[in-house]
Amino acid sequence: MQTGQQIGLLAKRYLKVDLPLQVCQSNSGFFIGTIHPTDGPYSRESAEYFPDRDSAEHALATGCWTQLEGYDI
């Protein structure tokens, strides 16, 4: 559970930018991540993929999601 988290921790740790968490979409489904205003998708922060946008929005709003620990770079 990520209550109170407002920025992407992986984006900050690995990419050195403070970007707000938001619901993103990929071919695998919806997830919690960050998007850079000019560079597009930046980081996937949630371990989970959600079946629809509403589920992902609910998880983000309530903090009921799991933060990924790192990237395989």
Side-chain angles (χ1 to χ4, degrees):
M1 183 176 285
Q2 302 302 314
T3 305
Q5 182 179 338
Q6 300 296 316
I7 63 166
L9 297 180
L10 296 179
K12 183 167 184 74
R13 182 182 303 149
Y14 294 106
L15 304 168
K16 309 298 187 220
V17 293
D18 290 341
L19 296 171
L21 293 174
Q22 56 188 296
V23 172
C24 304
Q25 184 177 9
S26 73
N27 290 337
S28 298
F30 293 89
F31 61 94
I32 296 169
T34 63
I35 299 175
H36 190 276
T38 57
D39 295 336
Y42 241 58
S43 66
R44 180 175 142 225
E45 301 283 335
S46 66
E48 303 88 352
Y49 282 100
F50 301 91
D52 54 54
R53 181 171 294 280
D54 287 342
S55 298
E57 292 283 356
H58 179 73
L60 180 58
T62 61
C64 292
W65 59 280
T66 307
Q67 174 71 53
L68 281 173
E69 294 298 317
Y71 287 123
D72 292 328
I73 298 177

